[in-house]
RNA sequence: GGGGAGUUAGUUCAGUUGGUUAGAACGCCGGCCUGUCACGCCGGAGGCCACGGGUUCAAGUCCCGUACUCCUCGCCA
């Protein structure tokens, strides 16, 4: 007689729970057939749910269940009832539940499964394309289940920490007004207002400042943000931030609060106590030593800026290409691959391909010998004086390999930053993926308020137009904008920018000067940010905040190789959802309704 | 938008100098098997070689284009 599973026979345990302590108990488990070993007499099934695996054995003395078990296939969804027995000598030490098995008396098949497009195993055995197309099967895999459980836990921990510190979780609109500058927005046409568009929020930035004006004092939100930019391994068009804003605080107050949150996350998720306060590094120091504002401090290989040295030696230095680069406002940087961790000649040659891929013209290098002379180097005409000076600046000794880049400042930084990480992986200083057990947190602080845009010959806001400049630099806003530093900060971990924010500009007078420096006219400012400028006039409190990239945090906490592995339903490199086919075509009628006409003929 | 890599059974891959019937493993179907845990053994089905052109007596293989996926630079205040 069939047992009425689910309606009357309820699940008693999950597949990761049972141990030797449960021997003798009658249990009911539900799950999926992870593996089967049919020996004719005994049929073994590994039953899987999100909690783990349990071995179930069907024997001929329970004829009905045994007969059905013979027809089980991978990924069938089933329920079983039976008795927990010890496996004694046959225990499987690789399994959490390996000491026991269930001798099944009853079995029901809730649903059969067609052969799956790929096997559901912990180890990835198929292309990412297939995984994304059948994401619901991919998500059955152990590592992804674990990752999403960790994310869930991170959400819960964040909420309890923030609420415990007096923060309110408040919501902001996704559909807002388009504001120029920054990331490209996704646009949503308005049906009711012909020809008008909403923009999907690239962050709740302006709204959270209005919360401060409104007097909510401490705000946070775990919120989706949307940016229509090209994707990367750590970038998706929709992603999640832990968004935070506080009133009446200094930069240090915010750092302390965020360090506390990260300490809690690392403590509760990984059981690791990360030391606080985090190290702080000046923006310019980071650019000089590491080539970007998100340095990976798990290893050395610091850059050495040689620009001044080349300038001092001038033409007499005997390195005409570097000398020319310096004269054209370029920079010269070097990096030392130490003799203790040598690269083979072939590996060094490959570095050249690597930097070219990153946009460099080439890679000058020099192997230092006992006499301090250089071999393997294209810089054959260098003067002995400059050579010695460079050796000294780089602290280079016999056997070291010096790598050089010179030219346009931003390109040299980018290439050298990439090269530094690339060489570190080649030398085994850090693993290809994951933390390697090292967690190097730091704050990168005091960046410039403006960046010079060489294309338009204008100053642009490096962060956003409402970042507060250092008080002592306000006097230079109009006379020497490049000199103005600001209260902006990024929190960096192992080479990833995991968050960033600023103290906001709440003084309308200084605000007006910033707009002036940016060449933004009053009317223009009103049209773009009028509501915020108005708000600042009505007793806006001093305030500041920060946003943490939840997806990147999850990626780092789980050791995932890609952001796609910590997002349940991510987009592919070209922004398409390989499962649903989004973005897709829509009817002509739908377009008419929203007053939009496509200039691209329908595909196919 | 630029550069690079890839696409062959359901899946992962092999496929020689261009040569006649495109292989293996896992999965799937059938049979045997009572202590397996990558169970084992026997048999079987399964291919528009991504798509479109071209070269050739002959193309999975060589050439050109397209699509898709991934990596990378630009871009991401």
């Amino acid at each position: 007689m069939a047992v009425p599973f689910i309606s009357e026979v309820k699940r008693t345990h999950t597949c990761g729970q049972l141990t030797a302590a449960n021997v003798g108990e009658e249990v009911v488990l539900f799950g999926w057939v992870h593996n089967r070993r049919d020996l004719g007499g005994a049929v073994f099934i590994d039953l899987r749910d999100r909690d783990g695996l349990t071995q179930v054995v069907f024997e001929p003395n329970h004829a009905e269940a045994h007969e059905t078990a013979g027809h089980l296939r991978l990924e069938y969804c089933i329920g079983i009832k039976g008795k927990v027995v010890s496996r004694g000598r046959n225990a499987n030490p690789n399994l959490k539940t390996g000491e026991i098995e269930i001798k099944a008396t009853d079995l029901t098949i809730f649903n059969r499964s067609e052969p799956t497009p790929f096997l559901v195993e912990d180890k990835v055995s198929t292309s990412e394309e297939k995984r994304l197309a059948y994401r619901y099967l991919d998500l059955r895999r152990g590592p992804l289940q674990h990752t999403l459980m960790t994310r869930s836990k991170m959400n819960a921990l964040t909420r309890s920490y923030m609420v415990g510190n007096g923060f309110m979780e408040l919501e902001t609109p996704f559909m807002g007004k388009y504001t120029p500058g920054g990331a490209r927005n996704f646009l949503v046409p308005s049906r009711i207002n012909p020809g008008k568009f909403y923009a999907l929020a690239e962050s709740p930035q302006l709204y959270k400042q209005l919360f401060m004006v409104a007097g909510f004092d401490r705000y946070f939100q775990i919120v989706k943000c949307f940016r229509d930019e090209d994707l990367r391994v750590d970038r998706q068009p929709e992603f999640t931030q832990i968004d935070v804003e506080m009133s009446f605080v200094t930069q240090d107050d915010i750092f302390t609060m965020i360090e506390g949150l990260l300490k809690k996350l690392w403590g509760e998720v990984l059981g690791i106590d990360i030391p606080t306060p985090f190290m702080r590094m000046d923006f310019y120091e980071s650019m000089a030593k590491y080539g970007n504002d998100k340095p990976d401090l798990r290893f050395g290989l610091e850059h050495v800026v040689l620009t001044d040295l080349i300038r001092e030696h001038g033409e007499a230095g005997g390195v005409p290409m570097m000398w020319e680069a310096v004269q054209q406002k370029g920079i010269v940087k070097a990096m030392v691959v130490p003799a203790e961790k040598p690269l083979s000649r072939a590996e060094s040659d490959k570095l050249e391909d690597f930097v070219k891929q990153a946009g460099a013209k080439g890679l000058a290098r020099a192997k230092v010998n006992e006499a301090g002379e250089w071999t393997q180097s294209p810089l054959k005409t260098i003067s002995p004086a400059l050579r010695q000076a460079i050796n000294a600046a780089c602290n280079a000794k016999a056997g070291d390999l010096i790598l050089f880049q010179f030219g346009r400042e931003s390109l040299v930084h980018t290439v050298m930053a990439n090269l530094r990480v690339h060489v570190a992986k080649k030398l085994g200083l850090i693993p290809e993926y994951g933390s390697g057990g090292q967690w190097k947190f730091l704050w990168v602080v005091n960046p410039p308020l403006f960046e010079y845009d060489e294309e338009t010959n204008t100053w642009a806001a490096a962060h956003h137009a409402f970042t507060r400049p250092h008080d002592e630099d306000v006097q230079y806003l109009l006379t020497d904008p490049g000199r103005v530093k600001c209260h902006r900060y990024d929190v960096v971990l192992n080479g990833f920018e995991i968050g960033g924010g600023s103290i906001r500009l709440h003084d309308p007078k200084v605000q007006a000067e910033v707009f002036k420096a940016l060449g933004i006219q009053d009317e223009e400012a009103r049209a773009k940010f009028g509501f915020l400028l108005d708000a600042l006039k009505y007793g806006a409190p001093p305030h500041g905040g920060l946003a943490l990239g939840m997806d990147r945090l999850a990626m780092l906490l789980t050791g995932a190789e890609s952001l796609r592995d910590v997002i349940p339903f991510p987009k592919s490199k070209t922004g398409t959802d390989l499962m649903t086919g989004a973005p897709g075509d829509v009817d002509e009628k739908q377009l008419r309704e929203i007053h939009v006409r496509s200039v691209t003929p329908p595909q196919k």
Side-chain angles (χ1 to χ4, degrees):
Chain A
M1 187 173 126
V3 172
F5 278 97
I6 297 182
S7 62
E8 288 173 34
V9 178
K10 301 292 185 185
R11 174 160 60 181
T12 61
H13 297 80
T14 64
C15 295
Q17 271 184 323
L18 297 167
T19 66
N22 302 94
V23 168
E25 290 178 29
E26 177 119 308
V27 298
V28 177
L29 300 181
F30 297 162
W32 286 263
V33 176
H34 187 67
N35 196 6
R36 72 188 171 98
R37 295 172 294 278
D38 184 348
L39 276 62
V43 177
F44 295 94
I45 296 291
D46 292 334
L47 191 65
R48 185 196 70 234
D49 64 17
R50 73 179 201 200
D51 198 34
L53 289 177
T54 300
Q55 174 162 290
V56 181
V57 58
F58 301 89
E59 292 181 321
N61 55 339
H62 294 285
E64 196 183 328
H66 181 257
E67 156 66 17
T68 309
H71 296 104
L72 292 177
R73 290 297 179 269
L74 298 184
E75 299 309 316
Y76 278 26
C77 183
I78 64 173
I80 64 109
K81 183 180 174 189
K83 188 172 270 184
V84 182
V85 298
S86 169
R87 289 176 63 173
R89 255 185 318 195
N90 288 321
N92 182 348
N94 300 322
L95 231 50
K96 198 163 59 166
T97 60
E99 290 187 337
I100 56 94
E101 66 187 0
I102 316 298
K103 273 199 193 301
T105 54
D106 299 277
L107 164 66
T108 189
I109 296 176
F110 295 131
N111 222 338
R112 288 167 217 283
S113 170
E114 288 184 17
T116 48
F118 51 85
L119 299 181
V120 178
E121 306 169 301
D122 284 0
K123 201 168 136 284
V124 176
S125 63
T126 190
S127 67
E128 189 152 19
E129 199 175 342
K130 285 269 177 349
R131 291 173 54 201
L132 292 177
Y134 299 91
R135 189 61 164 175
Y136 42 87
L137 294 178
D138 194 32
L139 290 175
R140 284 185 187 173
R141 294 172 43 242
L144 281 180
Q145 298 240 318
H146 173 75
T147 298
L148 293 191
M149 283 185 238
T150 299
R151 250 195 110 124
S152 171
K153 191 172 178 182
M154 290 169 65
N155 279 316
L157 289 166
T158 300
R159 290 204 162 91
S160 84
Y161 177 86
M162 298 309 287
V163 171
N165 279 287
F167 286 80
M168 290 174 63
E169 184 169 10
L170 300 170
E171 293 175 78
T172 51
F174 283 156
M175 295 198 296
K177 190 188 168 201
Y178 170 74
T179 50
R184 194 177 290 118
N185 292 94
F186 286 100
L187 296 177
V188 181
S190 168
R191 177 180 57 82
I192 299 170
N193 303 280
K196 308 265 191 200
F197 294 81
Y198 301 97
L200 291 186
E202 60 190 58
S203 80
Q205 181 61 45
L206 300 179
Y207 292 106
K208 69 177 176 180
Q209 291 192 240
L210 296 176
F211 279 142
M212 296 304 105
V213 175
F216 285 102
D217 207 303
R218 292 185 169 197
Y219 143 92
F220 87 103
Q221 187 180 193
I222 298 175
V223 62
K224 277 283 184 78
C225 301
F226 306 89
R227 294 182 188 175
D228 187 7
E229 297 292 345
D230 282 11
L231 285 72
R232 283 285 186 280
V233 74
D234 62 350
R235 240 160 55 192
Q236 282 273 311
E238 50 179 311
F239 60 98
T240 307
Q241 286 189 341
I242 303 172
D243 197 42
V244 176
E245 194 77 8
M246 304 169 77
S247 289
F248 312 116
V249 288
T250 63
Q251 188 167 300
D252 285 345
D253 295 328
I254 292 173
F255 287 9
T256 304
M257 188 61 67
I258 296 302
E259 283 166 356
L261 173 60
L262 293 170
K263 195 180 185 74
K264 176 160 174 163
L265 288 174
W266 257 254
E268 300 276 328
V269 173
L270 295 178
I272 289 171
D273 183 41
I274 54 175
T276 52
F278 299 162
M279 176 188 167
R280 297 179 196 186
M281 186 182 291
D282 195 86
F283 174 87
Y284 287 105
E285 182 185 350
S286 182
M287 291 305 291
K289 286 188 180 169
Y290 307 100
N292 60 27
D293 59 356
K294 47 175 188 176
D296 190 336
L297 298 184
R298 289 176 296 170
F299 61 97
L301 301 180
E302 289 175 10
H303 299 167
V304 180
V305 179
L306 300 175
T307 313
D308 290 345
L309 214 51
I310 301 295
R311 189 181 295 118
E312 281 164 29
H313 285 253
E315 226 172 332
V319 284
M321 289 175 76
M322 288 185 185
W323 170 228
E324 191 183 336
V326 168
Q327 283 176 307
Q328 292 176 357
K329 291 191 172 178
I331 61 166
V332 181
K333 270 187 149 186
M335 189 181 100
V336 175
V337 180
E340 295 78 23
K341 291 262 187 185
L343 285 174
S344 72
R345 184 67 190 262
E347 284 170 323
S348 306
D349 288 343
K350 276 191 192 153
L351 292 182
E352 177 130 8
D353 296 334
F354 177 82
V355 298
K356 280 182 177 168
Q357 194 182 261
K361 290 201 182 70
L363 177 68
R365 61 185 202 234
K367 185 104 177 177
V368 182
N369 71 13
E370 293 291 343
E373 290 158 349
W374 290 356
T375 61
Q376 299 183 20
S377 174
L379 306 167
K380 298 202 186 303
T381 57
I382 189 166
S383 71
L386 179 57
R387 194 184 63 221
Q388 279 164 26
I390 290 176
N391 282 347
C394 295
N395 231 336
K397 58 187 182 307
D400 285 356
L401 178 69
I402 308 177
L403 305 171
F404 300 94
Q405 277 293 310
F406 50 88
R408 191 161 56 81
E409 181 168 2
S410 59
L411 183 67
V412 169
H413 282 316
T414 300
V415 170
M416 286 295 279
N418 288 338
L419 185 63
R420 176 172 173 268
V421 173
H422 180 77
V423 169
K425 287 177 178 172
K426 277 266 174 288
L427 298 181
L429 300 175
I430 52 169
E432 198 68 33
Y433 299 104
S435 69
Q438 288 196 81
W439 304 103
K440 297 289 187 184
F441 290 86
L442 80 151
W443 293 101
V444 175
V445 297
N446 301 333
L449 182 60
F450 303 111
E451 274 170 359
Y452 195 71
D453 186 336
E454 284 166 21
E455 279 179 26
T456 59
N457 280 328
T458 55
W459 291 96
H463 190 47
H464 67 85
F466 296 92
T467 301
R468 182 172 170 187
H470 287 188
D471 291 344
E472 66 271 24
D473 289 343
V474 167
Q475 54 182 312
Y476 303 117
L477 272 174
L478 297 174
T479 53
D480 190 3
R483 181 171 174 175
V484 180
K485 293 184 182 180
C486 65
H487 291 286
R488 182 192 137 207
Y489 33 82
D490 286 339
V491 54
V492 175
L493 170 58
N494 293 357
F496 287 93
E497 181 198 318
I498 57 174
S502 65
I503 298 296
R504 322 301 179 189
L505 188 43
H506 67 279
D507 179 343
K509 254 188 273 173
V510 181
Q511 181 67 67
E513 286 187 37
V514 169
F515 278 147
K516 207 165 172 188
L518 289 170
I520 297 177
Q521 306 303 319
D522 283 353
E523 312 87 74
E524 195 183 351
R526 286 223 61 79
K528 289 172 181 170
F529 310 109
F531 60 99
L532 183 59
L533 293 174
D534 284 343
L536 294 178
K537 287 192 262 182
Y538 298 108
H543 61 286
L546 163 148
L548 292 167
M550 176 64 109
D551 310 280
R552 284 182 190 169
L553 288 178
M555 183 168 126
L556 289 158
L557 275 168
T558 59
E561 294 179 13
S562 157
L563 213 59
R564 294 187 292 269
D565 283 341
V566 299
I567 295 174
F569 300 102
K571 306 282 190 287
S572 81
K573 190 68 195 307
T574 49
T576 56
D577 180 336
L578 296 175
M579 185 174 63
T580 65
D585 295 324
V586 295
D587 294 341
E588 193 57 38
K589 179 169 174 285
Q590 289 174 282
L591 289 178
R592 267 201 307 276
E593 261 181 4
I594 56 171
H595 321 288
V596 166
R597 188 179 298 133
S598 175
V599 295
T600 306
Q603 298 292 309
K604 186 174 65 166

